[in-house]
Amino acid sequence: MKNKEKHLLYRDVQDALELIGGRWRGAIMASLCNDPKRFTELKKDLEPITSRTLTKELRYLEQNRLIIAVRGSQAKNAVCYSHSEHGSSFAPLILQLREWAIKHRTIMLEVLKFDQ
Amino acid sequence: MKNKEKHLLYRDVQDALELIGGRWRGAIMASLCNDPKRFTELKKDLEPITSRTLTKELRYLEQNRLIIAVRGSQAKNAVCYSHSEHGSSFAPLILQLREWAIKHRTIMLEVLKFDQ
DNA sequence: AAAATTAGTATCTTTAAGGATACCAAATTG
DNA sequence: CAATTTGGTATCCTTAAAGATACTAATTTT
């Protein structure tokens, strides 16, 4: 029990970071924060992502219920991607990650100045 | 300007996720949340991480000022790793990542039940 | 009806992360 | 002073993520 809890301490973090880690998954979630987007819009927004990668990551996020893909009933060419309810519960974390990244950048710049 | 901001939207998220992404970096930060730890303690806590990987990731986190390594002045064999000030500003995010991972898990379990 | 757009596939290749295993010098403990 | 512990290195290897490039069927626009 003690041992298991010890593991869970970091295993949950590993799980979360697998879901939205890598180069694109978190970015896709961020891009969908404001509003639903079409495949092509996402691709433009996330430049230089490739079609292949975008497709793969969208499928992954869909399978893990973080996003919803609405495929047009008659028009197969119209697909709209948006956060699922659960996915949008991740939005606050995205904002904090951004803020933290910005803070980190300024700190690293200060350090660089100091080190010279 | 407009274009640049568009990019920053997700670039910050990418940056943050590079800093603490991958299999181990976030986990190491999580393991150091409660208290400073020695190399060997970290290794036990993060089992099954290898020495090689732990060393590499600790160096990375140190270079990026997320952790501090205190190397004993006379005893070279005593090294203590802890969050830097900046690193500990990441602790709240770790907690939220954990909570979110747990929520995600329960949601996926529900979905599995439903899909059968 | 021709041209362009949408939402992808299909291959092939590169790169990076990380594991497996063996080894090690300095310090500490018994 | 011998054994063990600490905090790592050094090599070699596997796997997964992602890029490059070319292609496409269905739809929409002109």
Side-chain angles (χ1 to χ4, degrees):
Chain A
M1 182 79 180
K2 219 176 173 182
N3 227 339
K4 223 168 188 180
E5 270 173 18
K6 219 180 184 183
H7 282 298
L8 288 177
L9 238 169
Y10 71 87
R11 290 262 164 97
D12 293 334
V13 176
Q14 283 184 321
D15 286 356
L17 287 175
E18 196 186 315
L19 281 166
I20 48 88
R23 179 166 180 194
W24 294 115
R25 298 216 259 264
I28 292 170
M29 290 302 285
S31 175
L32 289 176
C33 262
N34 302 320
D35 34 59
K37 290 212 176 83
R38 304 280 297 267
F39 184 88
T40 314
E41 290 178 288
L42 278 169
K43 212 190 158 204
K44 260 179 209 142
D45 195 33
L46 297 173
E47 226 163 1
I49 197 173
T50 63
S51 284
R52 179 184 178 275
T53 301
L54 182 53
T55 303
K56 272 189 54 178
E57 300 301 23
L58 286 172
R59 296 289 174 274
Y60 178 91
L61 293 171
E62 198 185 355
Q63 272 173 32
N64 285 279
R65 317 283 161 157
L66 299 183
I67 64 171
I68 293 174
V70 179
R71 298 181 170 80
S73 42
Q74 76 289 40
K76 246 190 72 185
N77 269 21
V79 185
C80 197
Y81 293 96
S82 59
H83 280 180
S84 70
E85 204 185 315
H86 175 224
S88 61
S89 81
F90 190 70
L93 267 157
I94 289 176
L95 291 180
Q96 284 176 265
L97 282 172
R98 291 190 61 201
E99 278 171 40
W100 186 78
I102 290 164
K103 190 161 69 178
H104 180 263
R105 200 169 301 137
T106 68
I107 283 177
M108 290 307 278
L109 286 175
E110 273 173 37
V111 164
L112 281 181
K113 270 190 222 158
F114 206 78
D115 280 4
Q116 277 168 1
Chain B
M1 182 80 178
K2 218 178 175 181
N3 226 340
K4 224 169 189 178
E5 269 170 22
K6 221 181 183 182
H7 281 299
L8 288 177
L9 237 170
Y10 70 88
R11 291 262 164 97
D12 293 334
V13 176
Q14 283 184 322
D15 286 356
L17 288 175
E18 196 187 314
L19 281 165
I20 49 87
R23 181 168 178 193
W24 294 113
R25 298 215 258 265
I28 291 170
M29 290 302 284
S31 174
L32 289 176
C33 263
N34 301 321
D35 34 59
K37 291 212 176 82
R38 303 281 296 269
F39 184 89
T40 314
E41 289 177 288
L42 277 169
K43 211 190 157 204
K44 260 178 211 144
D45 195 31
L46 298 173
E47 226 163 1
I49 198 172
T50 62
S51 283
R52 178 183 177 276
T53 300
L54 182 54
T55 303
K56 273 189 52 179
E57 300 301 25
L58 286 172
R59 296 289 174 275
Y60 177 92
L61 293 171
E62 198 184 356
Q63 273 173 31
N64 285 279
R65 317 283 161 157
L66 298 183
I67 64 171
I68 293 174
V70 179
R71 297 181 171 80
S73 41
Q74 76 289 39
K76 247 190 69 185
N77 269 20
V79 184
C80 196
Y81 294 95
S82 59
H83 281 180
S84 69
E85 203 184 313
H86 175 226
S88 61
S89 82
F90 190 71
L93 266 157
I94 287 175
L95 291 180
Q96 284 175 264
L97 282 172
R98 292 189 61 199
E99 277 171 41
W100 187 79
I102 289 164
K103 191 161 68 179
H104 180 263
R105 200 170 300 136
T106 69
I107 283 177
M108 290 306 280
L109 285 175
E110 274 173 36
V111 164
L112 281 182
K113 270 189 221 159
F114 206 77
D115 281 2
Q116 277 169 1

